């Protein structure tokens, strides 16, 4: 007997995370609710809110208020260009509990330990620090200090974090929003930095597909910039349609 019926894996992918919400909305419509969630980066943000009992539509509304860029502080770039202060405030305000273990749904977050060069999967501790760390794309965002170590984006070492729950679920649904397709134009340094980052992230795709019952990868999602919130509704719709199709 497996520990959980349905596991949900949410990959990293910046503001393409709006597509995760569409995917989850389609799952909920079919009566499919996750019993455990594992996420990194954008997937950690979405996962935290879902595990905290919010609906995809509520989360979409929260995110569309532009919290990320409104609060993000540009600071002297010693360790990164931006600070994700806005994210911290929104998590504090919108999720009613302080620690991951107190969320309604068991939740794992992948974070990369910069000091040790390893991935760690956290399922307890302060939500805001761990989700923040998991979302801090190196170079663009400052690392987050937890205990004695500095942490950055979990996607750096495992962008589709199936490992912590791969043997515990009867079925696993994966939502991947970072397929690495050929892309000709990179307009600026930020796009080059994020592209370089995502070149390494799909290394474990073979392992993921071995365990995934349903693998959802919205077609055409790679066209969307991972730091722009102007396509929120489009991405939600893209995720929703992709999930409907995958669940047929």
């Amino acid at each position: 007997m497996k520990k959980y019926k349905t596991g949900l894996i949410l990959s990293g992918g910046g503001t393409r995370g709006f597509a995760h919400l569409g995917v989850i909305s389609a799952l909920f419509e079919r009566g499919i609710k996750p019993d455990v969630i594992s996420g990194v980066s954008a997937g950690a943000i979405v996962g935290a809110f879902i595990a905290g009992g919010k609906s995809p539509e509520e989360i979409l509304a929260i995110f569309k208020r532009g919290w990320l860029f409104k609060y993000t502080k540009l600071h002297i770039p010693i360790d990164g260009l931006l600070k994700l202060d806005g994210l911290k405030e929104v998590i504090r305000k919108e999720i009613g509990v302080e620690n991951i273990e107190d969320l309604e749904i068991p939740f794992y977050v992948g974070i990369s330990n910069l000091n040790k060069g390893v991935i760690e999967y956290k399922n307890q501790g302060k939500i805001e620090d761990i989700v923040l760390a998991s979302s801090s794309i190196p170079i663009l965002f400052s690392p987050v200090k937890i205990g004695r170590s500095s942490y950055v984006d979990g996607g750096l070492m495992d962008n589709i974090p199936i490992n912590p729950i791969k043997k515990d679920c009867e079925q696993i649904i994966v939502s991947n929003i970072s397929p690495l397709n050929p892309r000709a134009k990179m307009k600026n340094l930020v796009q080059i930095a994020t592209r370089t980052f995502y070149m390494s992230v799909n290394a474990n795709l073979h392992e993921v597909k071995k365990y995934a019952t349903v693998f959802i990868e919205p077609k055409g999602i790679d066209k969307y910039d991972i730091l722009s919130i102007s396509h929120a509704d489009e991405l939600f719709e893209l995720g929703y349609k992709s999930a409907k199709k995958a669940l047929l």
Side-chain angles (χ1 to χ4, degrees):
M1 191 62 178
K2 301 268 182 167
K3 202 165 160 187
Y4 305 108
K5 184 173 185 258
T6 304
L8 177 63
I9 313 290
L10 302 169
S11 84
T15 49
R16 293 177 190 165
F18 288 113
H20 282 323
L21 296 172
V23 166
I24 296 163
S25 181
L27 293 175
F28 282 11
E29 246 177 48
R30 288 281 298 269
I32 302 166
K33 297 270 171 98
D35 302 294
V36 61
I37 302 169
S38 178
V40 299
S41 202
I45 298 170
V46 170
F49 282 86
I50 293 288
K54 298 263 188 243
S55 75
E57 290 72 19
E58 279 178 282
I59 302 165
L60 181 66
I62 293 166
F63 287 3
K64 274 170 69 178
R65 290 179 209 144
W67 49 267
L68 180 56
F69 297 105
K70 206 185 297 168
Y71 294 106
T72 298
K73 309 258 197 301
L74 198 57
H75 69 136
I76 306 299
I78 294 164
D79 52 10
L81 300 176
L82 306 162
K83 271 205 180 312
L84 285 166
D85 301 356
L87 177 56
K88 208 167 186 168
E89 284 183 40
V90 173
I91 288 171
R92 203 172 284 169
K93 198 172 124 213
E94 302 286 351
I95 295 174
V97 297
E98 201 174 307
N99 295 320
I100 291 182
E101 60 269 34
D102 299 325
L103 291 164
E104 289 176 22
I105 300 170
F107 180 44
Y108 289 83
V109 180
I111 54 177
S112 300
N113 186 319
L114 208 50
N115 300 83
K116 297 178 182 170
V118 295
I119 181 91
E120 295 175 16
Y121 303 101
K122 302 277 191 194
N123 66 340
Q124 45 191 204
K126 274 187 87 169
I127 298 168
E128 57 186 59
D129 292 341
I130 292 165
V131 171
L132 208 65
S134 188
S135 311
S136 294
I137 297 174
I139 314 300
L140 293 183
F141 299 108
S142 310
V144 174
K145 200 106 171 113
I146 299 173
R148 291 182 168 183
S149 294
S150 290
Y151 290 89
V152 292
D153 200 309
L156 183 64
M157 307 200 72
D158 184 4
N159 199 46
I160 310 175
I162 203 164
N163 276 333
I165 62 169
K166 66 184 181 188
K167 293 185 173 149
D168 293 336
C169 304
E170 284 170 35
Q171 62 170 353
I172 290 180
I173 297 165
V174 174
S175 176
N176 181 31
I177 54 170
S178 284
L180 198 69
N181 296 337
R183 185 177 174 181
K185 287 188 189 132
M186 271 151 273
K187 299 183 198 107
N188 54 42
L189 199 55
V190 168
Q191 286 188 352
I192 292 166
T194 52
R195 175 72 174 176
T196 317
F197 173 63
Y198 279 112
M199 277 164 71
S200 65
V201 298
N202 288 338
N204 68 338
L205 213 51
H206 177 72
E207 175 81 351
V208 168
K209 286 186 170 170
K210 193 169 88 181
Y211 285 95
T213 317
V214 181
F215 186 86
I216 301 161
E217 198 174 78
K219 204 172 162 52
I221 195 161
D222 56 307
K223 294 200 297 278
Y224 294 89
D225 198 323
I226 70 163
L227 289 174
S228 161
I229 61 164
S230 59
H231 306 293
D233 293 313
E234 258 174 75
L235 282 160
F236 185 96
E237 200 54 31
L238 190 63
Y240 178 79
K241 286 181 176 156
S242 308
K244 292 277 271 194
K245 206 169 160 187
L247 293 167
L248 284 176

